[in-house]
Amino acid sequence: MKIIKNGIVVTASDTFQADIKIVDDKIEAVGLGLSTEGAEVIDASGRYIFPGGIDPHTHLDMPFGGTVTKDDFETGTVAAAFGGTTTIIDFCLTEKSKPLSDAIEVWHNKSKDKAAIDYSFHLMIGEMNDHVLKELPQVIEQEGITSFKVFMAYKNVFQADDATLFQTLIKAKELGSLVMVHAENGDVIDYLTKKALQNDQTAPIYHALTRPPEAEGEATGRASQLTALADSQLYVVHVTCEDAVKQIEEARKRGADVWGETCPQYLVLDQSIMDQPDFEGAKYVWSPPLREKKHQESLWNALRTGSLQTLGSDQCSFDFNGQKDLGKDDFTKIPNGGPTIEDRMSILYSEGVCKGRITLNQFVELTSTRAAKLFGLHPKKGTIAAGADADLVIFNPDVMRTLSQKTHHLAVDYNAFEGLEVSGKAETVLLRGQVIVENDQYVGHKGQGEYIKRAKYGHQLESKVAQR
Ligand SMILES: NC(=O)NCCC(=O)O
Ligand SMILES: [Zn+2]
Ligand SMILES: [Zn+2]
């Protein structure tokens, strides 16, 4: 038994002083003056206690562009734990010609006995056909995978057509699951990319210039309309720009169930960083790309007003030396993505809460509670309440630190936020009642993270349509 004493408990709805009693892997009680008899006491004076972070968007040990992400389920989840994240949902990539179960087995093999924190999978749908339709109910019932990802971009690689997206929306509704989209117009991007290369525009900045905000806005609007037509629900991953935010806001005003996620890189970095000499811009090649600075204000407003509901990391790291440089002479060959899993929560706390853009409770909602609800993990995860898993972060708001590759816990050879000063630090992290980070050390063990089967219909509880 453990008692965390004297901390300030913060949930998505409340902030209050209380002790937390933990028995085995669960929270047994939250209240003032809990008896410490026979308990191991953790003093949290002057600290906040947050529910463990839930990162709904990661790519660990993922093949992409002829290489594989540098961070895998071991290094990536240890780094996540240092940042206060105790659950991730990783994207399981499928191949069109193979059964879905093959891909899921591959992802289990990548993660089993490796993950330091709890984990689950979303499943990519590349093409809708009779085999997929037949397999989906089993995937949901046996694997507890209740969310499906459709890529509207990456032509000739992951991109699915509108018929696939539409049928996935219809089927997901029938099966109580949620469709997620990477919303960019892949055909337009393909055309712009080919034109750029014909004009010898090969540097990293052209990655951004060939993927304009309009291409994201158009795809977001199209996916939202198809969702309304299918009377289904949609979660838009990595929203980067005003164009896409507007589409989500309009869809929500019309009463549609469209939710959106943004990521820390889009909140604090802008496109100008990609136009550096010596190929440095390759470190910041994401899809969708970093935008002009003006878009950051739209994203912050959307987080504050509830038009965007979650913060994912989109962790997808490649070394600068030896991986990003595959695209030295051609930006289309730079593997897309960056290291963000560890700093996701710190950046939102420091840039969001400390700068008065969001409240403490919104911080918890955006980094944990809403993802738990939308993806069928709540109330086991995402809150501090009797009966929930004791996934907890004891957070010191008074520490100032500088984000850097020298001090991060990822394997990748650079930090996307190098030099950024942040306030606050996840000092002690508990996973299901066990301390896994304390005194700047990882004290858990490899494979401690468990695979989580998620519930169906979680997002329906958040549904505007269902509420009506
Ligand atoms: N975002 C990115 O650039 N890489 C990861 C794959 C994806 O999410 O599209
Ligand atoms: Zn994506
Ligand atoms: Zn992603």
Side-chain angles (χ1 to χ4, degrees):
M1 179 172 62
K2 293 186 181 73
I3 302 266
I4 305 178
K5 280 213 95 61
N6 306 322
I8 309 274
V9 174
V10 188
T11 69
S13 54
D14 300 297
T15 307
F16 53 99
Q17 176 119 35
D19 305 335
I20 300 176
K21 180 176 177 185
I22 299 166
V23 177
D24 301 326
D25 56 344
K26 300 275 186 230
I27 296 171
E28 191 175 277
V30 182
L32 274 179
L34 299 182
S35 161
T36 54
E37 207 180 311
E40 178 191 334
V41 176
I42 301 175
D43 183 22
S45 302
R47 311 287 190 267
Y48 292 126
I49 307 174
F50 301 136
I54 297 174
D55 186 343
H57 187 159
T58 67
H59 304 277
L60 298 174
D61 201 354
M62 185 186 83
F64 190 103
T67 184
V68 179
T69 59
K70 180 65 186 262
D71 286 283
D72 62 10
F73 277 86
E74 190 178 343
T75 60
T77 56
V78 167
F82 273 100
T85 293
T86 51
T87 305
I88 57 166
I89 315 180
D90 198 80
F91 285 95
C92 169
L93 296 185
T94 55
E95 290 178 51
K96 284 182 187 168
S97 53
K98 293 195 180 156
L100 302 177
S101 57
D102 284 11
I104 297 169
E105 194 186 330
V106 169
W107 245 254
H108 277 305
N109 290 335
K110 288 174 187 286
S111 49
K112 195 171 172 306
D113 301 330
K114 277 196 168 174
I117 58 174
D118 288 352
Y119 61 99
S120 187
F121 304 144
H122 309 288
L123 189 73
M124 169 192 159
I125 304 293
E127 182 181 77
M128 189 49 87
N129 56 43
D130 288 346
H131 300 291
V132 172
L133 284 172
K134 200 166 155 219
E135 242 195 304
L136 278 182
Q138 289 166 37
V139 166
I140 293 173
E141 300 306 328
Q142 287 167 19
E143 297 288 340
I145 295 179
T146 55
S147 42
F148 303 107
K149 164 90 170 282
V150 177
F151 287 93
M152 300 171 81
Y154 301 123
K155 195 170 166 70
N156 300 324
V157 186
F158 302 137
Q159 188 173 330
D161 59 18
D162 286 349
T164 290
L165 173 56
F166 190 52
Q167 287 180 73
T168 307
L169 284 160
I170 291 169
K171 193 68 188 171
K173 186 191 177 194
E174 184 191 315
L175 298 173
S177 52
L178 181 58
V179 178
M180 314 168 79
V181 280
H182 172 134
E184 285 186 292
N185 187 318
D187 291 312
V188 166
I189 290 167
D190 183 59
Y191 173 81
L192 294 174
T193 301
K194 284 179 178 149
K195 259 188 79 178
L197 292 180
Q198 278 163 15
N199 293 329
D200 290 329
Q201 296 170 326
T202 58
I205 185 67
Y206 291 104
H207 172 82
L209 298 179
T210 52
R211 307 181 85 101
E214 291 85 348
E216 186 181 335
E218 185 280 327
T220 307
R222 180 162 31 110
S224 301
Q225 293 284 10
L226 294 178
T227 300
L229 194 59
D231 193 19
S232 189
Q233 287 91 20
L234 183 73
Y235 178 97
V236 185
V237 301
H238 50 40
V239 173
T240 71
C241 59
E242 185 173 8
D243 310 57
V245 167
K246 276 194 173 148
Q247 294 295 334
I248 293 172
E249 281 173 349
E250 278 167 28
R252 291 176 65 77
K253 268 190 215 142
R254 292 193 301 267
D257 286 325
V258 178
W259 296 282
E261 161 203 281
T262 191
C263 311
Q265 54 273 30
Y266 303 115
L267 294 170
V268 297
L269 302 176
D270 69 80
Q271 205 172 90
S272 61
I273 204 170
M274 297 180 70
D275 207 6
Q276 297 180 70
D278 303 325
F279 194 60
E280 279 286 310
K283 291 179 178 171
Y284 310 99
V285 165
W286 275 281
S287 292
L290 297 178
R291 301 298 185 191
E292 286 176 49
K293 201 160 180 57
K294 64 179 184 191
H295 291 278
Q296 290 175 358
E297 218 33 59
S298 303
L299 298 178
W300 282 114
N301 276 335
L303 292 176
R304 180 169 51 241
T305 58
S307 299
L308 294 176
Q309 297 79 21
T310 62
L311 188 80
S313 68
D314 196 8
Q315 161 72 27
C316 188
S317 59
F318 299 98
D319 272 343
F320 181 59
N321 296 299
Q323 294 192 291
K324 288 279 183 181
D325 54 17
L326 291 169
K328 201 120 201 148
D329 304 315
D330 174 353
F331 70 88
T332 65
K333 298 199 168 68
I334 301 170
N336 292 193
T340 45
I341 200 167
E342 183 166 353
D343 299 328
R344 175 184 74 110
M345 293 175 68
S346 289
I347 289 174
L348 193 70
Y349 177 80
S350 187
E351 293 287 318
V353 178
C354 295
K355 296 197 173 167
R357 289 162 160 147
I358 56 167
T359 67
L360 256 184
N361 307 100
Q362 285 177 312
F363 166 80
V364 169
E365 170 143 31
L366 290 161
T367 55
S368 178
T369 312
R370 191 62 87 99
K373 289 181 176 175
L374 287 171
F375 294 110
L377 291 164
H378 193 265
K380 178 179 165 67
K381 307 275 188 198
T383 193
I384 299 180
D389 281 1
D391 295 346
L392 298 163
V393 180
I394 302 177
F395 189 87
N396 184 344
D398 296 328
V399 174
M400 285 299 293
R401 58 203 185 92
T402 306
L403 303 183
S404 174
Q405 187 269 334
K406 293 191 187 80
T407 47
H408 76 197
H409 301 86
L410 289 161
V412 69
D413 67 359
Y414 74 100
N415 186 303
F417 309 106
E418 189 70 37
L420 183 70
E421 294 266 325
V422 293
S423 342
K425 179 178 174 183
E427 267 182 354
T428 305
V429 179
L430 288 88
L431 174 72
R432 282 179 280 101
Q434 302 298 313
V435 174
I436 57 169
V437 172
E438 68 180 346
N439 301 325
D440 291 321
Q441 299 297 318
Y442 174 65
V443 294
H445 61 264
K446 188 172 161 178
Q448 192 167 346
E450 284 180 359
Y451 178 72
I452 310 277
K453 293 185 180 182
R454 293 180 287 117
K456 291 186 282 187
Y457 296 110
H459 61 287
Q460 295 276 2
L461 303 173
E462 298 289 291
S463 160
K464 282 164 168 282
V465 176
Q467 279 165 25
R468 273 210 308 280

